[in-house]
Amino acid sequence: MEPFPNHFMEFHPIHGTNVQLDHSATQATRVESFANGVCFSKHPLKPGEIFLIEIEDKELGWCGHLRIGLTAKDPRTLEVVPEYSIPELTDMGDSWVFAITRNHNKIVEEDDVGEGGQEPGGHRLGQGEAENEGDTNTKPKTFFTDSHLYIENVRIPRDKLVGRSRPGRYSHILDDLYKTNALPPTARRSRIGVLYVSKGPHLADMHIVINGEDMGPSARGIPTIEPIYAVVDVFAATKCVRIVQVEYGFSSLQTLCRKAIQKHIVHRMAIDWLELPEALKHYCKYE
């Protein structure tokens, strides 16, 4: 994969009628009801470029959660933004959107399905396992293996992919749960991303990443002749999401400082004991 320069991710100004964006266009909040929360990326995604969001707030009393995916529909061409991403947007064609669960967003090949529709060996779907033992797409044995997530020929820094709790007495315990992807995928502070990986001339596979774990191909044979936009449906129990910026090139000085500090502390609350500027403490604890 050819590296592409970092650029600031934003939500598209065209969105569902119940969505309110903040001044930076990186936070989307559904201000009423449970529907009309469909959002798009402001710019088309490049192959291997992840659109990563964090769940900032939930709303009790509704059934259903965040939905995410891709569309070849330019938001500017929509007469009306659909009330729901599923099925209204997907029924329009050239859109691939999934409700976020841990088990139902990965393609299963017919040859891999046993009796009763279960995958052989009792593996749960959506865990990103290799599809066969002869798969040559193994992780490179390099210094960067643990610091990056590999999907086909795409390499994504893990640093921003994993959710982090709000600083508190039990934040170090919760952070371990995020790192192991043990919490529900739609929990507060979970980070969920979508990207597509080229698989031939003008075709691609869509992947969903939950807290740093690749869930495997969610859709195959996506045509990439037209620009591809990310879709995020702030639906039902999901109230507010925020875009997380991913650095693909050299890390910023701010990021390097945060990594160095976090490497030498027991947990984030210990940052308060350090003699550092308050702004840097805040960045180290929350980002």
Side-chain angles (χ1 to χ4, degrees):
M1 183 190 77
E2 294 183 3
F4 38 81
N6 298 322
H7 67 268
F8 195 71
M9 289 281 192
E10 300 174 65
F11 285 115
H12 203 287
I14 295 174
H15 49 69
T17 55
N18 286 337
V19 169
Q20 180 176 305
L21 301 181
D22 71 344
H23 68 280
S24 67
T26 62
Q27 185 186 68
T29 304
R30 196 187 67 255
V31 294
E32 60 178 304
S33 182
F34 63 93
N36 285 301
V38 177
C39 305
F40 306 94
S41 59
K42 184 175 182 179
H43 303 289
L45 300 183
K46 298 176 181 178
E49 185 176 30
I50 190 169
F51 190 81
L52 182 67
I53 59 97
E54 177 177 285
I55 298 175
E56 290 233 308
D57 198 9
K58 306 288 290 293
E59 185 170 20
L60 300 177
W62 300 114
C63 294
H65 298 279
L66 178 81
R67 297 164 173 183
I68 196 167
L70 301 170
T71 183
K73 301 286 185 186
D74 187 332
R76 296 171 299 181
T77 65
L78 298 175
E79 294 183 6
V80 178
V81 176
E83 184 176 7
Y84 305 100
S85 58
I86 305 171
E88 277 82 349
L89 180 63
T90 53
D91 283 351
M92 295 170 64
D94 293 331
S95 297
W96 307 267
V97 183
F98 289 80
I100 292 302
T101 69
R102 203 179 294 278
N103 298 327
H104 301 293
N105 57 3
K106 179 183 177 184
I107 285 179
V108 183
E109 302 294 346
E110 291 183 4
D111 293 342
D112 294 337
V113 179
E115 294 182 4
Q118 298 297 318
E119 193 178 24
H123 295 296
R124 290 187 302 169
L125 303 183
Q127 294 304 297
E129 299 91 356
E131 297 195 7
N132 57 69
E133 295 181 357
D135 191 353
T136 58
N137 181 38
T138 56
K139 290 183 180 180
K141 304 297 184 182
T142 70
F143 174 80
F144 297 102
T145 297
D146 292 334
S147 62
H148 288 72
L149 172 67
Y150 290 85
I151 304 175
E152 300 290 340
N153 62 334
V154 173
R155 191 180 77 167
I156 307 171
R158 285 187 182 274
D159 182 52
K160 294 294 186 71
L161 296 181
V162 180
R164 308 181 74 215
S165 67
R166 297 187 185 279
R169 180 178 298 177
Y170 303 107
S171 60
H172 59 294
I173 299 175
L174 287 172
D175 287 347
D176 286 339
L177 294 177
Y178 283 117
K179 288 178 182 177
T180 57
N181 206 6
L183 293 175
T186 53
R188 280 186 180 88
R189 312 293 283 181
S190 280
R191 293 186 176 183
I192 301 169
V194 64
L195 70 154
Y196 67 93
V197 179
S198 295
K199 298 293 288 185
H202 306 303
L203 290 175
D205 289 352
M206 181 176 84
H207 286 250
I208 293 173
V209 177
I210 300 176
N211 286 320
E213 184 179 351
D214 173 28
M215 297 292 107
S218 299
R220 285 204 170 109
I222 293 175
T224 56
I225 297 176
E226 300 295 332
I228 302 293
Y229 295 81
V231 179
V232 176
D233 191 351
V234 189
F235 177 71
T238 301
K239 177 76 172 176
C240 177
V241 300
R242 174 180 64 90
I243 296 174
V244 179
Q245 308 296 333
V246 178
E247 297 175 333
Y248 292 91
F250 292 106
S251 297
S252 65
L253 179 59
Q254 192 177 40
T255 297
L256 292 173
C257 288
R258 175 169 57 80
K259 288 181 178 179
I261 292 168
Q262 291 175 346
K263 184 178 179 180
H264 293 89
I265 58 174
V266 178
H267 58 81
R268 280 185 291 158
M269 296 312 294
I271 291 174
D272 288 329
W273 308 337
L274 304 177
E275 295 183 2
L276 295 172
E278 289 301 319
L280 182 56
K281 287 184 182 180
H282 184 275
Y283 179 73
C284 291
K285 287 193 292 185
Y286 282 88
E287 287 298 317

